[in-house]
Amino acid sequence: MHLPIARPAVITLVLLSFMWTWNDYFLSLITVSDPGLQPMTLGLGAFSTRYGTQANPLSAGAVLISLPIVVLCLFSQRHFVRGMLSGALRERERKAAAPAGPL
C-alpha cells in the first residue's frame, strides 16, 4: 500500500548503502586476513609499495572497480533524484493542489 510512495526513497537508500559498502576500504583491511576473501578495493593497495606506485595498473583497476557503481547510478538516476527531492516537492504540490479559500 505504501510501497509505491516510498519506492524512490527505498531505491535511494539501497543505492547509497551499496556505494558505501562497495567503497569500504578500512574495515575490510582490518577484518579480512584471507587474500581470497578480500574485496577488490584492497587489491588496489598491491600497486602501491614503499618504493613507488605503479600508476597505470592502479588507474586501470580503479576504473574497473568503479564501473558497477557508475552503471548502477545511471540506471537508477531517475529514482535516486525522485527520492532525494520527494520531501522537498511534496509541500509545494500539496499547496498548489489546495483549494483557494474565500477572499
Side-chain angles (χ1 to χ4, degrees):
M1 181 172 154
H2 296 289
L3 189 60
I5 296 171
R7 186 179 354 169
V10 170
I11 291 174
T12 302
L13 179 66
V14 167
L15 180 64
L16 289 175
S17 297
F18 178 74
M19 285 174 38
W20 290 327
T21 305
W22 187 265
N23 292 327
D24 191 16
Y25 181 82
F26 188 66
L27 183 64
S28 56
L29 178 66
I30 293 173
T31 58
V32 180
S33 60
D34 184 17
L37 297 175
Q38 290 178 344
M40 291 187 291
T41 52
L42 282 180
L44 289 178
F47 297 115
S48 217
T49 64
R50 83 168 86 160
Y51 302 111
T53 300
Q54 299 172 349
N56 292 339
L58 181 66
S59 300
V63 167
L64 288 177
I65 287 174
S66 65
L67 278 179
I69 297 291
V70 170
V71 169
L72 186 65
C73 286
L74 287 176
F75 283 120
S76 62
Q77 181 180 9
R78 179 174 50 109
H79 296 290
F80 182 72
V81 171
R82 188 180 300 162
M84 294 297 286
L85 296 177
S86 65
L89 297 179
R90 294 285 180 204
E91 288 296 321
R92 177 182 278 171
E93 291 173 2
R94 201 176 310 151
K95 288 179 183 177
L103 294 175

